[in-house]
Amino acid sequence: YILNGRWSFSSGTDHCGWIMIGAALGDREGNALTPPQVLHVLLPRSDYEIDPESWNVVGLRGTGSKDLIISGAFIPTYRTIDADIVLGGNAWQHAGRTETLYKFPFSCIFPLGITSSLIGMAEGALACHIAAQKERVAVTGIPIKEDPYVLYAIGEAAAEIAASRTGLLETVDRFWDKTERGEEVSFEERAIGRRTQTAAAWRAVRAVDEIFARSGGGAMHLKTPMQRFWRDAHVGLSHAIHVPGSIFHASALTQLGGEPQGVHRSMI
């Protein structure tokens, strides 16, 4: 294959010797195929350029998710894999691997790396908020620890963030155990798992909003970490893996005996 194009959001690319990206197949003239066909492809550092000015954002600056530019790179077939095989859960059969990790649903393990980071940000924001409020006195002269409304907000946020973490891990543990027993994780189970994962992300960030709004003006200073947690969490929530619409649609329709089609099967 010959690869050309520009790819955005390549996180951590400055530190990599190789990249794995998605590539849409075209005909010999470069026109996209219908229906679309996508491959995951591997390229060495010598085959692509990094746009150093392409990641200037309000949050998650540390991910360095810069654009890649590829022009006429040759890719041998052995460095490609059909994306549908990966998403369908059959890649392990093609590769001859039988370990649980390789048989584990891709639609569960891929979002896990992103949502777990988001929940970690929420936990960091909560810890930062609690530390700052211990000795804080409001402009009214009342210590924060005597304000029942702020205490309620902290307690509720802590519970929501903990529930997000628990829901995410419970799904992974249950899917892992089932896979290890040699049982297939059904589409309905995967859809519900994605619903749990997506809801966990939104729940955790809403909790961050509640405590950030009660952190006082000092939290707005760039010298304090609270504003960074808030910015990073919101940018993390904008990742495509956290878009709830089609996921909630698919999980509900499947539970009602329907058969989701098209975009409603995406990343499930």
Side-chain angles (χ1 to χ4, degrees):
Y1 301 92
I2 301 296
L3 189 63
N4 293 283
R6 187 182 186 105
W7 282 254
S8 298
F9 312 120
S10 184
S11 300
T13 195
D14 286 323
H15 310 288
C16 298
W18 288 76
I19 56 168
M20 176 181 283
I21 57 177
L25 278 176
D27 58 25
R28 290 184 178 276
E29 285 70 46
N31 302 308
L33 299 181
T34 303
Q37 296 180 41
V38 177
L39 300 177
H40 293 308
V41 300
L42 283 168
L43 286 90
R45 179 65 186 86
S46 58
D47 281 0
Y48 58 91
E49 297 179 29
I50 300 172
D51 182 350
E53 305 300 325
S54 57
W55 189 244
N56 186 19
V57 289
V58 297
L60 290 182
R61 288 174 176 263
T63 66
S65 305
K66 300 172 182 176
D67 288 8
L68 306 179
I69 302 168
I70 302 171
S71 179
F74 172 73
I75 306 174
T77 304
Y78 72 86
R79 283 203 260 118
T80 71
I81 186 170
D82 191 315
D84 287 339
I85 292 174
V86 176
L87 291 174
N90 301 316
W92 64 274
Q93 294 174 326
H94 292 263
R97 305 302 294 259
T98 58
E99 301 96 315
T100 301
L101 178 63
Y102 293 95
K103 298 168 71 175
F104 196 73
F106 181 78
S107 61
C108 180
I109 202 168
F110 176 74
L112 177 65
I114 301 169
T115 308
S116 59
S117 299
L118 195 63
I119 293 173
M121 295 172 205
E123 291 175 336
L126 179 64
C128 182
H129 178 76
I130 290 173
Q133 303 308 306
K134 284 184 178 180
E135 306 302 328
R136 180 172 165 242
V137 177
V139 292
T140 58
I142 300 174
I144 291 299
K145 54 179 78 170
E146 294 180 15
D147 186 329
Y149 302 105
V150 174
L151 295 181
Y152 181 88
I154 293 173
E156 183 178 44
E160 290 294 277
I161 293 169
S164 296
R165 180 189 183 96
T166 300
L168 195 68
L169 291 176
E170 188 278 334
T171 298
V172 174
D173 287 344
R174 181 160 41 82
F175 283 12
W176 184 273
D177 291 344
K178 189 166 186 177
T179 304
E180 199 161 52
R181 291 195 301 266
E183 302 173 15
E184 181 181 355
V185 180
S186 68
F187 179 86
E188 179 178 346
E189 290 174 305
R190 300 199 312 267
I192 293 172
R194 283 279 278 120
R195 181 191 67 195
T196 299
Q197 165 257 321
T198 304
W202 283 82
R203 183 188 300 117
V205 175
R206 282 195 295 265
V208 171
D209 285 342
E210 289 296 319
I211 55 177
F212 185 73
R214 293 168 174 83
S215 292
M220 311 301 169
H221 286 290
L222 292 178
K223 65 182 179 181
T224 64
M226 192 66 194
Q227 51 78 28
R228 181 181 174 184
F229 282 120
W230 184 81
R231 288 186 292 112
D232 287 352
H234 277 274
V235 174
L237 191 62
S238 70
H239 193 286
I241 210 70
H242 293 139
V243 176
S246 63
I247 299 302
F248 284 18
H249 177 113
S251 62
L253 181 59
T254 304
Q255 287 187 290
L256 293 173
E259 186 68 28
Q261 300 295 331
V263 67
H264 300 302
R265 299 187 73 85
S266 177
M267 274 306 299
I268 295 177

